[in-house]
Amino acid sequence: MSRLLANASSVAMTGARELARLIVPVCCPGCGRDDVRWCDECEAPWWEDPYRSEENAPRLHRLGEVPIAVWSIAELEGSPQLMIEAWKDSQRRDLDSFFKEAMARAAGSVAAEITTAKRIAVIALPARRSSTRRRGVDLPAMLATACAQRWRAAGSDAVAVPALTMRRAESRGLSARERWRGAQQSMRLSRPVDGTRAVVLVDDVMTTGATLAAARDRLEAAGAVVCAGLTLATAPMRGKSPSVGLGWESEADELSDTFDGRGGD
């Protein structure tokens, strides 16, 4: 009798899984493997230590100045790109916790390199309001909160501060020049930032660095000290990195316009 009950239970569970799969298909967003939320191979890059990525962002560079240091976990290509696209554009809300944990690990890994300050303001780059409404969550703000929580757990006085807003249209598909001009014109400071706190900027994806540069400019104009940036992924450069960025409207723009418009800024 017990064996019959066990078999019936197993059949029922199998049927329930099959029905759930029909209603909400489950597959790895990085490779399409069935019946897993994400596979080990596609998860692996998100456990790597972050790397310095500002050299892949020409709009962070100014003549005679050292660009802001930016760390990223992965390059925006292959399975990392597909996972982020599923998270941002395909309603894979089950990936919220995945990327929060990845960002928290990254924040802990590079904490000492980002700043030695004990008082930190973690500021998310603003998401479009329409995107936040559609997703039901502000993704960059979620990542900023994860960073602040990780640094507080390590003993720092870190707070996530929603200090920036941006009135802008969709940036994906725009040239680097258009993205830079739009970011500079649209970035707004929505609340003051405590000048005694070191500022770390956080975003999901960096492409040319235009939005991050605009955020830095707006904050520094208000007296804040921006020390670093942290992103999940950065789009790799196509070809050699330009040696100049901000303030140039000729050769550098022509070079930057060759980069694609994948996600982010």
Side-chain angles (χ1 to χ4, degrees):
M1 184 67 176
S2 60
R3 182 175 298 177
L4 287 175
L5 290 174
N7 289 340
S9 176
S10 176
V11 169
M13 292 179 63
T14 300
R17 283 196 297 268
E18 292 297 329
L19 179 60
R21 191 181 299 116
L22 289 173
I23 298 172
V24 184
V26 176
C27 68
C28 173
C31 66
R33 184 179 302 176
D34 289 331
D35 298 329
V36 291
R37 288 196 297 167
W38 51 79
C39 69
D40 292 343
E41 291 82 358
C42 293
E43 180 183 7
W46 301 105
W47 285 84
E48 297 291 334
D49 288 335
Y51 68 97
R52 289 284 293 271
S53 57
E54 66 268 19
E55 290 303 317
N56 288 344
R59 290 292 170 175
L60 291 179
H61 295 256
R62 295 175 175 175
L63 288 176
E65 296 185 14
V66 177
I68 181 176
V70 181
W71 281 262
S72 301
I73 306 173
E75 286 198 332
L76 191 67
E77 59 182 359
S79 67
Q81 180 179 352
L82 292 173
M83 292 186 74
I84 286 181
E85 287 176 353
W87 179 51
K88 295 180 69 171
D89 298 328
S90 298
Q91 295 300 319
R92 285 291 300 263
R93 295 278 60 83
D94 57 315
L95 292 171
D96 288 351
S97 59
F98 178 94
F99 284 118
K100 281 172 59 177
E101 292 169 7
M103 185 61 94
R105 287 193 301 270
S109 175
V110 300
E113 297 176 81
I114 283 181
T115 179
T116 57
K118 287 298 183 182
R119 289 171 52 80
I120 305 170
V122 188
I123 299 180
L125 270 62
R128 291 183 297 122
R129 292 180 181 177
S130 60
S131 295
T132 299
R133 285 195 300 269
R134 172 168 51 85
R135 296 165 181 149
V137 60
D138 185 328
L139 301 183
M142 182 184 72
L143 298 176
T145 298
C147 291
Q149 290 173 341
R150 177 64 181 81
W151 287 328
R152 281 201 302 274
S156 295
D157 177 11
V159 293
V161 182
L164 295 170
T165 59
M166 192 175 219
R167 296 194 300 269
R168 64 178 180 180
E170 175 65 75
S171 65
R172 283 175 288 186
L174 298 181
S175 70
R177 183 187 309 179
E178 291 167 335
R179 197 176 292 118
W180 162 244
R181 288 174 176 168
Q184 285 291 315
Q185 294 167 1
S186 301
M187 191 70 65
R188 297 289 183 272
L189 188 66
S190 58
R191 66 176 63 187
V193 178
D194 185 348
T196 66
R197 292 183 180 273
V199 172
V200 178
L201 297 174
V202 170
D203 203 4
D204 46 19
V205 168
M206 181 171 69
T207 51
T208 66
T211 306
L212 196 149
R216 177 194 60 187
D217 289 348
R218 189 64 64 190
L219 288 163
E220 290 183 343
V225 179
V226 180
C227 62
L230 183 60
T231 74
L232 287 174
T234 291
M237 296 282 278
R238 294 180 183 271
K240 188 177 180 180
S241 173
S243 59
V244 293
L246 306 185
W248 287 73
E249 294 291 338
S250 55
E251 181 181 3
D253 281 313
E254 292 172 5
L255 287 168
S256 297
D257 284 350
T258 66
F259 309 137
D260 66 1
R262 289 169 286 181
D265 59 349

